[in-house]
């Protein structure tokens, strides 16, 4: 089984899920991506995160194929562009996503990032989609503390179920304020880029020599070390993307890794926690 997070009073989810950014971009990769997502479901990575943005609908199509005959085993998230955040556009964007995903509901629907449409209108859109049965819950992504405070002050804003933000060992800014603020309201954080995109971002954590040493001592891979580190908080889940069955299984096994205080302290020395407010990191 492994670590889970209390997502809501009536819902517990595994603390690691599956991302899909860059899936659906090439026909050659499609079968491998479908197989990876299905292998993830088999080993308990039931939360699948996608977005209308990824490969302009292509990633949702891959997920739709992977979930054929298995929809009830997955907990499915999609996201919409900020310019689709008004009532009419959000309903239409959701319907297009549902078609590509070959399903009639999403477990969670997220505003991908904040744009110009007033939050109030987006909340109404989410409420409408819930009433229509197209989404079970809604949330936001890339919202910093001030955005969350504004959202919570809007009528209906407290119904927000999650905030999906960038979080990995080398980008810890949310620990200063956003994470405590969300934890206090029992709002789960979904950590994207938990592996720092395997080196595509500024930091190549997977080949970091000292992280390699710590991982060796624990008998795990650096990827597993990074995932176990992200989900050490009761309120945080990680959604690594993996397009090979091998990587997916390795990531799933991180659900059972607990890091001891000495290893956590060494990681803090290598990548110190924030001592002041940092602007929210994004990709
Ligand atoms: P990740 O940090 O998850 O890194 C993905 C990379 O890590 C891929 O190259 C993958 O390779 C590699 N990888 C996965 N598992 C392993 C492993 N066990 N060992 C070595 N390498 C591994 O970056 P993402 O940007 O993909 O973030 C995760 C997900 O978060 C996205 O896919 C997306 O769903 C979501 N996201 C949301 C954003 C938002 O604005 N809300 C922004 C960015 C991401 P391979 O594919 O070859 O297995």
């Amino acid at each position: 089984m492994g670590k889970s997070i209390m997502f809501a009073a009536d819902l517990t989810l595994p603390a690691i899920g599956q991302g899909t950014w860059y899936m659906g971009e090439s026909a050659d990769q499609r079968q491998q991506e479908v197989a990876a997502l299905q292998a993830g479901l088999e080993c308990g990575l039931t939360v699948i995160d996608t977005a209308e943005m990824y490969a302009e609908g292509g990633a949702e199509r891959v997920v739709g194929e992977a979930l054929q005959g298995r929809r009830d085993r997955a907990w499915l998230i999609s996201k919409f562009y900020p310019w689709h955040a008004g009532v009419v556009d959000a309903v239409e964007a959701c319907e297009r996503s549902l078609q590509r995903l070959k399903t009639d509901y999403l477990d969670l629907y997220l505003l991908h990032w904040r744009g110009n449409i007033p939050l109030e209108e987006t909340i109404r859109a989410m409420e409408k989609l819930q009433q229509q049965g197209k989404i079970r819950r809604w949330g936001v992504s890339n919202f910093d503390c001030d955005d969350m405070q504004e959202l919570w002050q809007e009528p209906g804003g407290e119904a927000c179920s999650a905030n999906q933000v960038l979080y990995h060992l080398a980008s810890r800014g949310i620990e200063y304020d956003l994470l405590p603020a969300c934890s206090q309201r029992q709002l789960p954080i979904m950590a994207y880029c938990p592996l720092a995109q395997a080196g595509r971002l500024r930091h190549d954590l997977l080949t970091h020599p000292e992280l390699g040493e710590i991982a060796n001592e624990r008998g795990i891979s650096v990827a597993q070390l990074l995932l176990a580190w992200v989900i050490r908080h009761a309120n945080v889940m990680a959604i690594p993307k993996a397009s090979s069955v091998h990587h997916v299984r390795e990531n799933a096994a991180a659900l059972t890794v607990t890091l001891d205080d000495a290893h956590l302290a060494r990681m803090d020395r290598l990548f110190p926690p924030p001592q002041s407010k940092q602007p929210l990191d994004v990709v």
Side-chain angles (χ1 to χ4, degrees):
M1 274 310 295
K3 196 160 178 221
S4 53
I5 104 161
M6 184 87 154
F7 194 82
D10 57 346
L11 178 66
T12 303
L13 292 173
I16 298 179
Q18 303 188 75
T20 62
W21 196 14
Y22 295 109
M23 286 191 183
E25 303 223 327
S26 124
D28 295 355
Q29 301 293 314
R30 193 182 179 94
Q31 280 325 305
Q32 196 192 324
E33 291 163 355
V34 167
L37 288 168
Q38 291 176 339
L41 280 183
E42 295 299 325
C43 50
L45 305 188
T46 50
V47 174
I48 298 182
D49 177 78
T50 190
E52 64 171 333
M53 185 188 105
Y54 302 158
E56 286 300 335
E60 289 182 325
R61 287 194 192 88
V62 171
V63 175
E65 189 176 332
L67 293 187
Q68 279 306 285
R70 298 170 171 81
R71 172 65 185 94
D72 55 341
R73 282 154 64 183
W75 201 85
L76 185 55
I77 308 166
S78 193
K79 314 186 214 50
F80 55 95
Y81 285 119
W83 47 91
H84 289 158
V87 177
V88 173
D89 289 337
V91 169
E92 287 177 8
C94 184
E95 283 166 355
R96 288 191 296 270
S97 286
L98 291 174
Q99 259 181 10
R100 290 187 289 259
L101 288 159
K102 299 199 177 94
T103 184
D104 53 7
Y105 73 98
L106 296 171
D107 293 282
L108 181 67
Y109 201 30
L110 304 178
L111 170 60
H112 207 150
W113 65 91
R114 199 170 169 184
N116 298 326
I117 293 172
L119 292 176
E120 185 196 354
E121 220 182 296
T122 305
I123 296 170
R124 299 292 87 78
M126 298 296 205
E127 287 168 346
K128 183 163 185 185
L129 285 165
Q130 280 178 312
Q131 280 153 15
Q132 294 176 337
K134 291 178 180 137
I135 66 171
R136 297 263 160 95
R137 292 177 158 85
W138 65 268
V140 293
S141 177
N142 296 299
F143 268 43
D144 205 345
C145 265
D146 50 349
D147 302 308
M148 285 313 305
Q149 295 302 342
E150 265 185 67
L151 181 66
W152 284 324
Q153 276 159 23
E154 289 290 342
E158 74 290 339
C160 172
S161 291
N163 186 10
Q164 187 178 110
V165 292
L166 186 149
Y167 183 51
H168 57 72
L169 180 63
S171 182
R172 303 181 59 167
I174 66 164
E175 290 174 33
Y176 187 75
D177 52 354
L178 183 63
L179 182 52
C182 291
S183 299
Q184 202 188 8
R185 312 262 315 208
Q186 290 169 341
L187 184 84
I189 292 281
M190 296 188 154
Y192 73 69
C193 301
L195 303 172
Q197 291 197 331
R200 201 179 308 151
L201 297 178
R202 291 189 298 280
H203 312 276
D204 192 355
L205 299 178
L206 293 182
T207 59
H208 190 288
E210 283 195 68
L211 294 178
E213 260 175 44
I214 299 172
N216 268 339
E217 284 171 25
R218 277 297 272 106
I220 57 177
S221 68
V222 176
Q224 290 172 323
L225 178 72
L226 294 173
L227 293 176
W229 181 87
V230 165
I231 62 168
R232 74 199 185 288
H233 292 285
N235 201 37
V236 180
M237 69 182 298
I239 45 167
K241 173 258 184 182
S243 41
S244 74
V245 172
H246 171 73
H247 281 167
V248 164
R249 294 206 175 118
E250 195 176 312
N251 297 346
L255 280 169
T256 57
V257 175
T258 305
L259 301 173
D260 61 30
D261 289 346
H263 283 148
L264 289 172
R266 268 169 77 187
M267 293 168 86
D268 278 348
R269 281 195 292 279
L270 294 170
F271 297 94
Q275 300 301 320
S276 60
K277 167 74 189 157
Q278 316 282 316
L280 184 64
D281 206 356
V282 293
V283 275

